[in-house]
Amino acid sequence: MTANIKTVGVLGFGEGGHYVAATLARECGLRVLAFDPLAAVGEKGPGLVRQAEEMGVVLHGEIGPWLGAAEAVFSLVPGTVAVAAAQGAVAHMAAGSGYVDLNSITGDMMKDVAAVFADSPVQVVDGSVLGNFQGGNRVPVLLTGEGANRIAALLPDSHFLVDVIDGQIGDASAIKMLRSVLMKGLEALCVECLVAAEAQGVRHLLLEAFKDLDSRPFVRTMEILTVTHPIHAARRLKEVERVASVLEKYGVEGTLTEATRVVFARSAEANLSPDSKDPKDLQKTIELLRGPHSTVGD
């Protein structure tokens, strides 16, 4: 990939593609060529093209030879068509250019994307967006693969918070999916918790009661909850069961609370308590949770 990138391609002109295209065109002064199938069909097409033109972006309705002018191509399409987008792009991309997949896909799907370029002189970069493109904050992005550092240098610090990780193709995408296990589950728990709090008239007081969580890094909280889980699963299960009864009383469907009860019940029944009652080793705890008597892991 050339060090001095002047032209980029963006596949997909939804929220993510729009953000990347606008940033690179307006903030970096790059020539931006984009693709979105809606540009070629339906009533939305002309309006979408005009919107792109106002941003300084040339929007196409089909992937074609025009993509060969791009020294780096960012893919921001629906995850279900990530591989198809790569298949459409590979025939038109120039030797030495870079293909950066920023789609919400699994690590295995990212490897399928990379396989499309196996016989191509195109550098593949595995990328994952760990936040969202709204709210005016810098968008956190993980990158890995050959050419990742060049792409990191291309994305302006004013709009992106980029971290290049030392991993293999698929690792950045895998991290996003694993992060979503927690973040999407946490989102659902927040909904369940705050709806129940409103039903009991204590929502504002509840939010105040969470202030102690601000006193330590979130990652440390994750570690503490995990290493203490095998020891205290049986006792905590009783509390979860009481929580479930409260939600039922106030007419709140405790879907996530029931799932939590199942996890604690499995751990309690498996009797996973380690020899030491003072757990400090996260690695050993995870190995215990993935052991032959556990239903949490394999």
Side-chain angles (χ1 to χ4, degrees):
M1 195 186 310
T2 58
N4 187 19
I5 295 176
K6 297 180 179 179
T7 302
V8 298
V10 177
L11 306 183
F13 206 61
E15 181 180 273
H18 186 282
Y19 184 93
V20 171
T23 301
L24 295 179
R26 293 172 176 172
E27 302 298 323
C28 303
L30 299 180
R31 179 188 179 206
V32 179
L33 311 174
F35 155 76
D36 195 291
L38 292 180
V41 297
E43 298 179 356
K44 294 183 178 180
L48 201 61
V49 171
R50 284 194 300 272
Q51 183 185 45
E53 289 176 347
E54 292 172 357
M55 296 162 44
V57 175
V58 179
L59 183 62
H60 298 265
E62 295 182 354
I63 295 177
W66 58 267
L67 200 60
E71 296 146 311
V73 175
F74 294 85
S75 179
L76 293 118
V77 299
T80 52
V81 295
V83 175
Q87 291 170 335
V90 64
H92 304 289
M93 292 183 64
S97 60
Y99 188 86
V100 189
D101 191 299
L102 292 177
N103 299 305
S104 295
I105 56 178
T106 67
D108 287 341
M109 292 173 69
M110 182 61 223
K111 291 176 182 177
D112 290 339
V113 169
V116 173
F117 297 91
D119 298 322
S120 167
V122 172
Q123 296 178 347
V124 177
V125 177
D126 175 16
S128 63
V129 179
L130 301 184
N132 59 64
F133 294 99
Q134 300 176 347
N137 298 319
R138 296 164 69 195
V139 178
V141 175
L142 285 184
L143 299 175
T144 191
E146 187 179 5
N149 286 313
R150 304 243 179 154
I151 296 301
L154 182 66
L155 299 174
D157 290 340
S158 59
H159 287 68
F160 295 92
L161 183 61
V162 183
D163 186 14
V164 176
I165 60 174
D166 184 15
Q168 300 177 349
I169 292 294
D171 287 353
S173 293
I175 288 171
K176 178 179 176 63
M177 291 295 104
L178 291 169
R179 191 174 186 268
S180 290
V181 171
L182 179 65
M183 298 310 297
K184 297 302 185 288
L186 184 59
E187 177 182 333
L189 282 169
C190 287
V191 171
E192 194 165 292
C193 177
L194 292 179
V195 168
E198 187 71 21
Q200 296 181 63
V202 295
R203 174 167 57 88
H204 297 294
L205 294 173
L206 172 69
L207 293 175
E208 285 292 316
F210 280 121
K211 288 190 298 185
D212 63 303
L213 296 180
D214 295 330
S215 64
R216 65 186 175 213
F218 183 66
V219 170
R220 181 56 184 151
T221 297
M222 289 179 61
E223 293 174 345
I224 291 173
L225 291 176
T226 302
V227 297
T228 60
H229 175 78
I231 291 176
H232 300 292
R235 176 181 61 80
R236 291 171 179 171
L237 171 62
K238 300 300 182 183
E239 182 174 342
V240 174
E241 291 172 343
R242 288 192 291 272
V243 168
S245 66
V246 171
L247 296 186
E248 182 179 2
K249 177 180 178 180
Y250 284 90
V252 177
E253 185 175 348
T255 304
L256 271 294
T257 299
E258 172 56 22
T260 301
R261 187 199 65 77
V262 171
V263 171
F264 278 88
R266 286 174 175 172
S267 294
E269 291 169 5
N271 192 25
L272 298 175
S273 295
D275 295 334
S276 171
K277 297 300 181 180
D278 183 25
K280 292 184 175 67
D281 193 318
L282 180 62
Q283 179 64 42
K284 290 181 179 179
T285 301
I286 292 175
E287 290 172 0
L288 181 67
L289 291 170
R290 296 184 72 245
H293 302 295
S294 171
T295 54
V296 178
D298 315 22

